[in-house]
């Protein structure tokens, strides 16, 4: 008996070691410093949902079987697989260990075995996906348990009914992603990368995890602060709430309880005495705890946080609308952040890597980031909340093809795209899901439904719907796109030098912002995606030459701020594939400008007033 046990343990240890040794990063591309620390046994194993935390969870990231099959083939779960890849890195990435393309004519299948027993006492087993691009169908023990369309929003499947006796449960995931051959949001992914367009991302690209919850459980929390009234409204979404159940909601300043509610309401307003405001200089977060009680017995409990901050626009002494933070003018300045990685594509190699970009952004003296046509994992926004970084959140673009006119000081021609009913439905569904998922993060202060007329359609309708869905934030209806007098912001793009919309034309109606400028390029040998033909809006020979040119841009920004500019976005945080206009190289190993001097010139912009 002991010998048999020893053999079994040895055998499984051997398989585990073999699997780990079998995986390796696909060679041929540059890599970040974190690539070598990726461990197939411990992949992105930090808690993935900071705004709805429970104590117990199981990380399913790791080596899964995969197969790429023709879309025309029989659609049954495959009996055999072609190899293993490392979840949650997209199959095209080097960190997946596969480095394969898929495309619209193929299906990507995943398979893994879960060590999981069916919970008792009517508990539910929830399978969570951070993001899967684009269309996913989930099977447990051969039974279809759910499906989802949308490459950027998290989704959950209750798999309780499909679990079988014993601890071995089989999970399969079918994924189809047409990339730029389909009408769905896909950001900058294209099947033939070139210029400002990048490698496709297919399949699972955020954490997959399991959670066991009671039959009655909290599914979502959203907090809405009202700084002027010193209140925060907490909305709790609850599955199968029973008559007589009570909610216990409490707000905490560190270890001090400052507000509490007990009752049957699921939409609760708490008074916050002498509120501490959240800002880039002082990013104070209050802790939040929500419990469900049944006859004084604890049924479910989650933890989160909120911030007391207000984003608005108001006229200055010249009648020009300005972007206000906590009722004061705050010039917002930051990089265009695309969130791409040479080794993980959409997915940072580690949690430390994910946070690194934000720490560097803060160290460079920026107080804002425009998250460009991509959505990040929840932990990215959590770190922005902690560090005090304002976020403009773009909707990932898709279904491109309409005309773009961007002229300083005048309205661009209204050339909204005539999308199909299918395309329109996909956009509405995914934008709503993205906004719902990101609503709890106080760092987000601006929603951006469109970028540069990339698939821009029904602009007035979309902007008004966005404003109605979330009145607590500002809406930038079309960043650098075809402009309409709708939303809170008018946003001009101009490369490389700064420019702004005319204050005398637009200033009384909307805040004036420069949504993109800069793009100064410097390829660094040994740190580029390809060895030649790299690209920037304007190229330089060395770092000092680059920085001196950057100073001319910030000098111009000072003039524009005095003329009424509320915000500016420099392109960009890092190089991306053949673009070499980042502050950092794509592998994050070189900062191209002197950090301290960069911090000084950037932070000087916040001291300028009209």
């Amino acid at each position: 008996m002991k010998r048999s046990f020893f053999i079994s343990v040895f055998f499984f240890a051997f398989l585990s070691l073999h699997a780990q040794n079998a995986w390796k990063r696909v060679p041929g591309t540059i890599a970040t410093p974190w690539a070598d620390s990726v461990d197939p046994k411990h992949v992105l194993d930090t808690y993935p949902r900071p705004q709805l935390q429970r104590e117990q969870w199981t990380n399913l990231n790791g080596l899964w079987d995969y197969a790429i099959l023709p879309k025309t083939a029989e659609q049954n779960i495959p009996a055999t697989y072609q190899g293993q890849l490392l979840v949650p890195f997209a199959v095209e990435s080097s960190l997946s260990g596969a480095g394969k393309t898929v495309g619209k004519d193929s299906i990507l299948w995943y398979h893994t075995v879960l060590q999981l027993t069916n919970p008792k006492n009517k508990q539910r087993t929830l399978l969570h996906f951070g993001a899967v691009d684009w269309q996913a169908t989930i099977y447990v023990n051969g039974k279809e348990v759910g499906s989802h369309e949308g490459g950027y929003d998290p989704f959950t499947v209750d798999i309780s009914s499909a679990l079988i006796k014993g601890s071995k449960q089989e999970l399969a995931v079918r994924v189809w992603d047409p990339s730029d051959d389909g009408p769905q949001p896909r950001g900058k992914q294209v099947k033939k990368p070139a210029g400002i367009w990048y490698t496709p991302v297919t399949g699972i690209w955020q954490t997959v995890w399991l959670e066991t919850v009671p039959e009655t459980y909290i599914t979502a929390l959203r907090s809405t602060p009202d700084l002027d009234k010193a209140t925060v409204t907490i909305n709790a979404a609850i599955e199968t709430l029973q008559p007589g159940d009570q909610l216990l909601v409490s707000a905490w300043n560190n270890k001090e309880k400052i507000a509490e509610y007990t009752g049957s309401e699921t939409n609760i307003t708490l008074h916050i005495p002498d509120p501490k405001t959240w800002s880039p200089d002082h990013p104070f977060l209050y802790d939040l705890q929500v419990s469900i009680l049944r006859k004084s017995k604890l049924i479910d409990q989650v933890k989160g946080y909120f911030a007391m901050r207000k984003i608005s626009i108001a006229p200055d002494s010249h009648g020009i609308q300005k972007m206000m933070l906590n009722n004061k003018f705050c010039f917002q300045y930051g990089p265009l952040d695309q969130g791409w990685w040479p080794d993980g594509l959409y997915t940072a190699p580690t949690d430390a890597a994910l946070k690194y970009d934000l720490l560097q952004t803060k160290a460079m003296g920026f107080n804002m980031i425009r998250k460009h046509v991509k959505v990040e994992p929840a932990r990215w926004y959590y770190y922005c909340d902690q560090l005090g970084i304002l976020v403009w959140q773009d909707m990932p673009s898709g279904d491109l093809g309409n005309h773009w006119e961007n002229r300083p000081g005048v309205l661009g021609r209204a050339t909204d795209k005539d999308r199909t009913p299918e395309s329109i439905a996909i956009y509405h569904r995914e934008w709503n899901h993205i906004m719902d998922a990101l609503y709890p993060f106080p760092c987000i202060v601006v929603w951006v439904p469109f970028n540069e007329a990339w698939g821009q359609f029904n602009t007035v309708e979309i902007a008004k719907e966005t404003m109605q869905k979330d009145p607590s934030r500002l809406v930038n209806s079309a960043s650098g796109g075809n402009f309409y007098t709708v939303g809170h912001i008018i946003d001009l793009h101009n490369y490389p030098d700064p420019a702004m919309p005319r204050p005398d034309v637009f200033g009384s109606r909307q805040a004036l912002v420069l949504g993109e400028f800069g793009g100064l390029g410097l390829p660094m040998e040994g740190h580029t995606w390809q060895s030649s033909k790299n690209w920037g809006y304007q190229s330089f020979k060395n770092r000092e030459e680059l920085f001196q040119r950057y100073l001319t841009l910030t000098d111009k920004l000072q003039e524009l701020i005095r003329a009424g500019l509320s915000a500016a976005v420099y392109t960009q945080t890092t190089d991306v594939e053949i673009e070499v206009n980042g502050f950092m190289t794509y592998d994050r190993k070189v900062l191209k400008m002197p950090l301290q001097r960069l911090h000084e010139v950037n932070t000087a912009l916040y001291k300028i007033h009209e």
Side-chain angles (χ1 to χ4, degrees):
M1 187 71 175
K2 290 182 179 179
R3 182 173 178 271
S4 175
F5 174 76
F6 173 79
I7 291 173
S8 297
V9 170
F10 176 81
F11 176 69
F12 283 112
F14 170 78
L15 286 180
S16 176
L17 181 62
H18 174 73
Q20 185 172 357
N21 290 338
W23 171 85
K24 62 179 181 180
R25 186 173 68 84
V26 177
T29 62
I30 56 175
T32 64
W34 302 274
D36 290 338
S37 62
V38 173
D39 179 358
K41 292 183 180 179
H42 304 283
V43 185
L44 293 168
D45 55 2
T46 44
Y47 192 82
R49 193 179 57 192
Q51 278 287 32
L52 192 71
Q53 298 183 46
R54 290 187 179 89
E55 295 293 331
Q56 301 299 320
W57 69 292
T58 302
N59 183 14
L60 298 183
N61 294 339
L63 288 169
W64 292 28
D65 306 317
Y66 82 96
I68 300 172
L69 301 175
K71 193 170 185 286
T72 55
E74 190 175 350
Q75 298 305 305
N76 294 330
I77 299 172
T80 59
Y81 291 84
Q82 298 162 356
Q84 288 191 313
L85 57 72
L86 192 60
V87 170
F89 299 105
V91 64
E92 294 91 348
S93 72
S94 66
L95 281 176
S96 73
K100 301 288 181 66
T101 57
V102 183
K104 68 178 177 65
D105 297 321
S106 299
I107 298 295
L108 172 61
W109 281 95
Y110 294 86
H111 170 266
T112 191
V113 176
L114 311 178
Q115 296 298 317
L116 172 69
T117 56
N118 203 340
K120 300 177 181 179
N121 301 323
K122 297 184 178 181
Q123 288 183 314
R124 316 304 297 171
T125 300
L126 304 181
L127 176 62
H128 301 286
F129 292 86
V132 182
D133 198 356
W134 173 68
Q135 183 188 83
T137 307
I138 318 302
Y139 303 85
V140 172
N141 297 317
K143 178 182 178 181
E144 182 178 333
V145 291
S147 62
H148 180 78
E149 287 185 352
Y152 299 94
D153 61 301
F155 64 97
T156 298
V157 179
D158 185 339
I159 66 172
S160 308
S161 63
L163 299 179
I164 59 177
K165 290 183 179 180
S167 60
K168 182 180 177 181
Q169 317 285 342
E170 294 201 45
L171 169 62
V173 181
R174 177 189 185 273
V175 175
W176 177 65
D177 179 16
S179 189
D180 55 323
D181 284 319
Q184 83 291 346
R186 42 86 180 176
K188 285 197 169 186
Q189 305 175 55
V190 293
K191 59 183 182 293
K192 294 181 179 179
I196 64 170
W197 308 102
Y198 317 137
T199 304
V201 172
T202 301
I204 299 168
W205 67 274
Q206 289 188 31
T207 291
V208 187
W209 54 293
L210 282 169
E211 188 177 37
T212 300
V213 296
E215 188 176 28
T216 297
Y217 63 97
I218 301 163
T219 62
L221 290 179
R222 54 191 292 167
S223 58
T224 307
D226 188 327
L227 187 61
D228 297 329
K229 295 180 179 179
T231 62
V232 62
T233 299
I234 309 298
N235 179 264
I238 301 174
E239 183 73 17
T240 64
L241 190 67
Q242 302 296 312
D245 288 351
Q246 289 195 314
L247 259 65
L248 175 59
V249 180
S250 55
W252 300 74
N253 176 353
N254 296 315
K255 294 184 179 181
E256 178 190 3
K257 185 189 297 184
I258 58 168
E260 186 176 58
Y261 166 88
T262 303
S264 58
E265 298 295 323
T266 57
N267 202 57
I268 302 110
T269 298
L270 300 176
H271 172 68
I272 305 300
D274 191 21
K276 297 182 178 181
T277 56
W278 181 96
S279 70
D281 292 332
H282 302 284
F284 184 82
L285 299 173
Y286 290 92
D287 293 321
L288 180 67
Q289 184 170 287
V290 180
S291 307
I292 302 174
L293 303 176
R294 182 173 297 157
K295 297 180 180 179
S296 300
K297 180 182 178 181
L298 180 64
I299 301 299
D300 189 29
Q301 184 177 85
V302 296
K303 294 181 180 180
Y305 61 90
F306 65 92
M308 297 300 293
R309 68 102 184 90
K310 176 185 177 182
I311 185 72
S312 60
I313 60 171
D316 65 10
S317 60
H318 302 291
I320 297 174
Q321 295 289 341
K322 291 288 191 67
M323 295 178 70
M324 313 291 281
L325 180 66
N326 303 329
N327 295 320
K328 297 179 182 179
F329 173 61
C330 171
F331 181 71
Q332 299 186 27
Y333 185 41
L336 193 76
D337 191 307
Q338 309 207 57
W340 284 76
W341 302 82
D343 34 32
L345 297 181
Y346 259 14
T347 311
T350 66
D351 192 63
L354 186 73
K355 189 175 184 179
Y356 175 82
D357 279 5
L358 299 174
L359 290 171
Q360 285 295 93
T361 297
K362 194 79 174 180
M364 286 186 270
F366 295 110
N367 65 2
M368 176 264 276
I369 286 172
R370 180 178 167 209
K371 178 48 62 178
H372 190 42
V373 296
K374 185 201 176 191
V375 176
E376 292 291 351
R379 291 192 66 83
W380 186 88
Y381 301 93
Y382 170 57
Y383 288 136
C384 289
D385 289 339
Q386 285 188 325
L387 295 170
I389 300 176
L390 302 162
V391 174
W392 297 13
Q393 179 60 56
D394 284 12
M395 170 62 173
S397 50
D399 204 359
L400 279 59
N402 45 316
H403 175 75
W404 173 47
E405 183 167 330
N406 180 33
R407 293 183 290 157
V410 300
L411 288 175
R413 251 189 333 227
T415 57
D416 278 4
K417 184 176 176 63
D418 185 16
R419 288 200 185 191
T420 66
E422 177 195 21
S423 175
I424 291 172
I426 289 171
Y427 179 97
H428 279 283
R429 181 176 66 246
E430 296 195 20
W431 185 222
N432 272 278
H433 289 174
I434 289 167
M435 290 182 67
D436 286 339
L438 300 184
Y439 187 97
F441 296 100
C443 62
I444 297 176
V445 293
V446 176
W447 297 115
V448 187
F450 296 110
N451 175 74
E452 289 188 359
W454 293 0
Q456 185 177 346
F457 76 103
N458 294 357
T459 308
V460 174
E461 173 193 341
I462 297 295
K464 288 182 177 179
E465 287 179 359
T466 304
M467 293 166 69
Q468 184 176 11
K469 185 175 178 68
D470 185 3
S472 71
R473 293 178 169 100
L474 302 182
V475 174
N476 181 358
S477 61
S479 181
N482 294 319
F483 305 119
Y484 292 79
T485 53
V486 64
H488 304 97
I489 292 167
I490 185 161
D491 177 335
L492 180 71
H493 292 182
N494 199 76
Y495 285 99
D497 292 277
M500 67 183 289
R502 284 178 55 180
D504 59 329
V505 176
F506 306 110
S508 64
R509 297 193 300 250
Q510 294 164 296
L512 312 172
V513 310
L514 173 61
E516 290 181 28
F517 80 105
L520 306 179
L522 176 64
M524 304 294 291
E525 186 176 353
H527 302 278
T528 56
W529 182 253
Q530 59 188 32
S531 58
S532 62
K533 297 182 180 179
N534 293 291
W535 179 86
Y537 284 94
Q538 188 176 3
S539 295
F540 298 87
K541 296 178 181 178
N542 57 62
R543 296 160 78 173
E544 183 59 28
E545 186 181 85
L546 173 70
F547 183 64
Q548 290 302 319
R549 180 68 173 100
Y550 180 76
L551 291 179
T552 69
L553 304 187
T554 55
D555 286 345
K556 179 64 175 178
L557 277 181
Q558 294 188 29
E559 299 176 20
L560 299 181
I561 296 169
R562 294 187 179 96
L565 189 69
S566 276
V569 179
Y570 180 89
T571 302
Q572 59 186 329
T573 306
T574 72
D575 297 347
V576 184
E577 299 204 354
I578 72 168
E579 288 189 65
V580 291
N581 45 26
F583 286 106
M584 294 184 284
T585 55
Y586 197 17
D587 58 11
R588 277 71 168 176
K589 293 179 180 178
V590 179
L591 177 64
K592 301 181 190 179
M593 299 187 197
L595 184 63
Q596 185 58 39
R597 294 175 70 190
L598 189 59
H599 183 274
E600 289 171 359
V601 299
N602 288 343
T603 54
L605 299 174
Y606 308 134
K607 301 172 185 177
I608 298 171
H609 300 282
E610 57 185 279

